Amino acid sequence: MKAAVSLLALVVLLVGCGEPREVDGGGLEVAARDGARKIPAAIEPQRGAALLLHYECARCHDGRGAPPPPLEKQCVGCHQAIEGGTFEAPRDVLAEWKGRLHSLPAAPRLSVAAALFTPEAIADYLQNPRDRRPSLEARMPRLAIDERDARDLAAHLASAPSPWPAEERAMEVTAEKVDEGRRLFQAKGCDSCHGESRGGSGLGVVLAPDLRDTPRRVRRERLAAFIADPGAAGGAMPRTPMRRDEAEALAAFVLEGVPEGDPATAAVAFERLPLLERPVRFAEVEARVFRKICWHCHAEPAYARGDGGPGMTGGFGFPGRRLDLSSLRAMLGGYLDASGEPRSLFARTASGTPYLVAALLARHREEAGDEGEVRGMPLGFPPLPAEDIQLVESWIAQGRRR
């Protein structure tokens, strides 16, 4: 309980202004800039440590104490091994795989989130992941995580000691600092990664976030220290030589000079295409859709060294659904629903759409901010193009020809 109260005191400092007071029903109320805010008392960092393992955060992220899983369960680690040529596979197969890696070998370290962002911001993002890195194709997947789990997991991350222990102080932001920071932002090349052009290459560029909602997420007293020495928190951002006052000016510009807004990529208007009149057979759909991306999460365990992926044997907090998309015969076997009952992948939903197609369409709705009962697929990646969904839907409508 003492740790929870300490964390709440930190939240009070971040939301700003006023000492907390106890309220009926438990919890604390703080006077924040945007009005009184109640913070639940039952924040449990210890429970959050177990949740870090339950949701398998280390499959994609490292840097916060979670032991890495076996290679066959590492999404990012496996792709990094392929990229580096250390993955055990025939040379021709390895060369083929390298051409399909996209941006998955890159993922931010949890130590950066723990050091830089507020617990509230982390919890919000876990429940409402949004695209904040325009150069990174892979996305944070939409997990089945409730408010309590998100809060406790965020509390665990935020309980990490600061990598800059001497920097725990409020920073005064003045108009002069903002103007100087604006000048330095261009002079030191910050806009080459965080600007609209995003020139250059490398991990630092790929992981460079859109800065428009940074003031709402960041621990303001730590931002200047991070800009001066991002490596202390394990950040991929390159260290740029600068004085302390220059780091503070850049932080002031990010906090007060960057136009506010939602950094999420604007959802592209989706128009469902009519069914194709030409014959569509499984071989075409398999090559263009299922083998292109679906096998990573839906395949026989033998295909991936003992792990069939989150959609097959379970993972990221999801139970195993036994959904295998590696062959037509396997697909006809269906999947297990939330109650463990077998269901057909081609059964119609309430809207009359085959379940498989409904999941592909749902991914487009999720990008537009509409999260329905059907979880969108592919998990953690951009939606499939309308032409690919049209192909799948036409194949099903034509009787799922071999």
Side-chain angles (χ1 to χ4, degrees), residues 30-213:
V30 299
R33 294 185 181 90
D34 54 351
R37 181 177 304 171
K38 183 177 178 181
I39 307 294
I43 294 179
E44 302 176 39
Q46 296 299 327
R47 181 173 178 270
L51 292 172
L52 191 71
L53 300 177
H54 172 71
Y55 289 105
E56 297 185 321
C57 303
R59 291 184 77 152
C60 297
H61 307 280
D62 59 5
R64 186 58 183 97
L71 185 61
E72 63 269 14
K73 283 184 171 289
Q74 293 183 34
C75 299
V76 170
C78 182
H79 281 229
Q80 288 174 340
I82 293 172
E83 186 179 52
T86 60
F87 193 93
E88 294 183 9
R91 185 173 299 179
D92 59 334
V93 173
L94 201 61
E96 180 184 357
W97 287 350
K98 281 186 177 182
R100 302 178 183 176
L101 291 181
H102 302 292
S103 60
L104 199 55
R109 292 174 62 86
L110 289 179
S111 56
V112 177
L116 197 56
F117 301 121
T118 69
E120 289 180 320
I122 296 172
D124 174 68
Y125 186 72
L126 288 171
Q127 289 192 277
N128 304 287
R130 295 177 290 282
D131 181 19
R132 285 194 168 92
R133 290 178 166 84
S135 298
L136 186 65
E137 183 183 27
R139 315 280 178 83
M140 172 76 183
R142 178 190 162 202
L143 303 176
I145 186 170
D146 60 21
E147 181 180 359
R148 184 192 177 197
D149 280 4
R151 186 190 67 216
D152 290 344
L153 182 49
H156 168 66
L157 292 174
S159 66
S162 170
W164 314 282
E167 305 299 334
E168 295 293 333
R169 62 184 179 85
M171 186 191 71
E172 182 183 4
V173 176
T174 64
E176 291 76 12
K177 279 187 177 180
V178 172
D179 289 341
E180 176 62 9
R182 182 179 289 107
R183 183 189 69 80
L184 290 169
F185 194 76
Q186 292 184 341
K188 292 190 176 292
C190 306
D191 57 340
S192 65
C193 293
H194 296 283
E196 294 181 0
S197 62
R198 294 183 178 270
S201 61
L203 185 62
V205 176
V206 172
L207 293 179
D210 188 307
L211 298 176
R212 281 178 289 176
D213 73 338

